[in-house]
Amino acid sequence: MFDGGFMNQSFAFGGEDGKEKFDEQIIYRSSLQNFLIDTGDEVILVDTGFKTGFPPPAKKLGAPLYMGEKVADYMDSFAALGYKPEQVTKILITHKHPDHSAAIEYFQNAKVYISPEDADALKLEGENIIRAEYGKAYKNFPNAMQVADGIWFIEAKGHTNGNSIIVAENDGLFYMFHGDVTYCDAALKANKLSIVFEDIKAARETLDRVREFVKKTPTVYLSTHCPEGYENLEMKRVMKL
């Protein structure tokens, strides 16, 4: 939905060590995208973006994060893929922030999977709201639930108190839709947390688990806030640490 933006290193890396430890003159590319999984039997969204008509944030000199120029509203981007809202069967929400959850209301036929903590924060109610019940381990993650064949909804607290990630298995690859565990791929490689979190201890544990998973498993790392997210998907590029 947005592209051509930037974030500085202090924002992307400064969560544990402090912003002053990093160089605000070093910047990384920024964008905004969400993802769709078509299984052949189901149309599943991973997150939903801002509501239609959301005004693009202003570009400010010295800003730690600039989302980028607006490319399209979420629903226009969705329609451009050739789908209709009524086709969506499930929505998997990584966390409560509006760039990941605000457009839920446009998909009336979908069951919405979300952590109990973030469901409470958003005051989501109704028969279509599925509060995650983690009954199984998945690889090195202790709390997960399977939501479709080869698709897992995984507890990954830290960025928010109910943060989650999604992994979809396909043709020997593991596509990790991680929300905002990191804001850019460079932070994953450098093992650094951003400055945005609700529980720093949990965020560190989650990042450690993500890095362990990526080291042991052929993972396509799908970020929401940097162009590597869509580039990795297009190229089926496996993350190397």
Side-chain angles (χ1 to χ4, degrees), residues 88-104:
V88 176
T89 54
K90 294 185 175 97
I91 301 173
L92 314 179
I93 299 296
T94 62
H95 64 285
K96 64 188 178 184
H97 294 155
D99 49 336
H100 298 261
S101 66
I104 290 172

Side-chain angles (χ1 to χ4, degrees), residues 7-72:
M7 68 187 78
N8 68 28
Q9 190 182 64
S10 296
F11 172 86
F13 286 20
E16 291 174 300
D17 302 321
K19 294 185 288 184
E20 67 280 355
K21 299 289 186 181
F22 299 97
D23 190 345
E24 292 184 352
Q25 300 302 309
I26 296 176
I27 62 172
Y28 303 99
R29 296 182 298 159
S30 180
S31 59
L32 176 63
Q33 58 275 338
N34 300 139
F35 299 92
L36 179 150
I37 304 170
D38 188 336
T39 70
D41 297 317
E42 292 194 87
V43 176
I44 301 173
L45 301 181
V46 179
D47 288 339
T48 67
F50 294 113
K51 291 182 180 179
T52 297
F54 175 80
K59 187 176 185 179
K60 296 180 181 179
L61 185 67
L65 171 67
Y66 171 56
M67 194 173 295
E69 300 295 325
K70 189 171 184 178
V71 176

Side-chain angles (χ1 to χ4, degrees), residues 137-149:
Y138 179 75
K139 304 295 185 183
N140 63 312
F141 293 96
N143 297 314
M145 65 181 296
Q146 191 169 10
V147 297
D149 187 28

Side-chain angles (χ1 to χ4, degrees), residues 112-239:
V112 179
Y113 290 75
I114 186 170
S115 68
E117 297 89 347
D118 280 8
D120 288 343
L122 292 174
K123 296 181 170 59
L124 294 178
E125 297 179 351
E127 293 182 358
N128 67 314
I129 304 301
I130 310 299
R131 294 166 177 261
E133 297 181 0
Y134 309 106
K136 298 180 179 179
Y138 179 75
K139 304 295 185 183
N140 63 312
F141 293 96
N143 297 314
M145 65 181 296
Q146 191 169 10
V147 297
D149 187 28
I151 302 176
W152 292 82
F153 192 90
I154 302 165
E155 186 179 62
K157 294 175 180 287
H159 179 66
T160 68
N161 290 326
N163 203 70
S164 307
I165 61 177
I166 288 89
V167 172
E169 305 171 6
N170 189 54
D171 290 339
L173 295 178
F174 295 76
Y175 294 83
M176 179 178 281
F177 309 84
H178 66 84
D180 298 347
V181 171
T182 62
Y183 274 87
C184 61
D185 287 17
L188 178 74
K189 295 172 183 176
N191 195 19
K192 299 296 182 182
L193 293 172
S194 85
I195 64 172
V196 184
F197 53 81
E198 291 184 345
D199 185 330
I200 186 66
K201 181 176 182 292
R204 166 45 61 188
E205 291 174 356
T206 288
L207 183 56
D208 288 346
R209 290 188 189 280
V210 166
R211 284 174 52 84
E212 180 184 354
F213 182 95
V214 169
K215 288 177 180 178
K216 295 179 178 179
T217 313
T219 304
V220 181
Y221 192 70
L222 301 176
S223 297
T224 301
H225 291 288
C226 68
E228 288 96 329
Y230 61 77
E231 292 169 355
N232 291 343
L233 179 60
E234 289 168 355
M235 293 185 277
K236 297 183 180 181
R237 181 165 56 198
V238 172
M239 175 62 68

